[in-house]
Amino acid sequence: MPTSGSEHVPVLAKDRPREAAPGTTVRRFWAVRRIPAALLAAVVLGGAGLLLYDVAAVRAEHSAMAWRRSLADDLATRPLDDVWVLIGAGVAAVLGIWLLVLALTPGLRAVLPMRREHADVRAGLDREAAGLALRDRAMEVSGVQSVRVRTGRSKVNVRAVSHFRELDEVRADLETVLAGGIDELGLAHPPALTVRVARPPRKG
């Protein structure tokens, strides 16, 4: 199923798809994260290349680069409780934690995994597309003037404005219609539904 997000969700299928076994675990899609990987690779490659060049120059009986001699002397003489040492250690720790988070978390929070009807097929639905579909369903309810739908991974918040009919009746109809709409989305983990209905603000 196509999605409307900035990244396309891969869908793999074979000529003879097999039905998924009952209780098949559906996991979230993992982000490729090309930009952080490319930046990290460029920094590591540049640093390693520069250091290798300097080591090769020293082996060829040339003097080491001034920056490496200065850095070695500075690290040998500067105390560990120095402000700049602490700042550098903090920055390195933050970058390391950030890289670990990127490596251990799936990302792609905007893509909701769908139920697997066949073992060889994975599909995802963009959260914005799911919200638009639910909004269209809500606008079909009698008495609804406008609707705002916020779709999360575990919860759908709906705020509707009703210009006639009793609010309790409109809310009940919305809950019924939207519950059916969520089920028809085919999500692996259907989000909980919260509906609020209010009157339009008075003019003047």
Side-chain angles (χ1 to χ4, degrees):
M1 177 175 294
T3 61
S4 61
S6 59
E7 295 189 48
H8 297 286
V9 177
V11 177
L12 305 179
K14 295 182 179 180
D15 293 337
R16 296 180 180 178
R18 300 168 303 185
E19 293 186 359
T24 301
T25 302
V26 179
R27 302 185 182 277
R28 290 173 55 190
F29 290 92
W30 282 74
V32 179
R33 294 186 171 117
R34 294 185 178 91
I35 295 178
L39 291 177
L40 179 61
V43 171
V44 172
L45 182 62
L50 187 61
L51 183 61
L52 181 61
Y53 173 81
D54 193 44
V55 170
V58 172
R59 291 289 185 178
E61 299 182 352
H62 294 283
S63 61
M65 292 183 180
W67 68 268
R68 192 158 74 94
R69 294 197 306 269
S70 176
L71 180 62
D73 294 340
D74 198 40
L75 292 176
T77 58
R78 190 180 295 272
L80 294 179
D81 58 352
D82 184 78
V83 175
W84 290 108
V85 173
L86 297 177
I87 291 176
V91 171
V94 170
L95 289 176
I97 293 174
W98 178 61
L99 292 175
L100 286 175
V101 170
L102 291 181
L104 299 176
T105 55
L108 285 183
R109 297 176 60 87
V111 179
L112 303 174
M114 301 179 69
R115 290 192 295 264
R116 300 189 69 170
E117 302 294 339
H118 301 281
D120 298 323
V121 178
R122 288 190 70 197
L125 180 63
D126 187 79
R127 286 190 345 197
E128 184 178 353
L132 290 176
L134 294 177
R135 179 184 177 278
D136 291 341
R137 293 290 299 269
M139 290 299 297
E140 297 176 357
V141 174
S142 176
V144 174
Q145 184 179 24
S146 62
V147 180
R148 293 180 59 186
V149 179
R150 294 184 60 184
T151 306
R153 290 192 298 113
S154 61
K155 194 172 184 179
V156 174
N157 290 315
V158 179
R159 295 180 178 271
V161 174
S162 176
H163 54 302
F164 70 92
R165 296 182 65 197
E166 293 294 332
L167 296 183
D168 291 339
E169 296 179 1
V170 176
R171 183 182 301 107
D173 290 348
L174 281 173
E175 290 175 349
T176 301
V177 169
L178 293 176
I182 292 175
D183 184 66
E184 292 177 1
L185 293 177
L187 301 178
H189 308 288
L193 176 64
T194 300
V195 179
R196 295 181 177 86
V197 183
R199 294 296 185 195
R202 294 181 179 180
K203 297 181 180 179

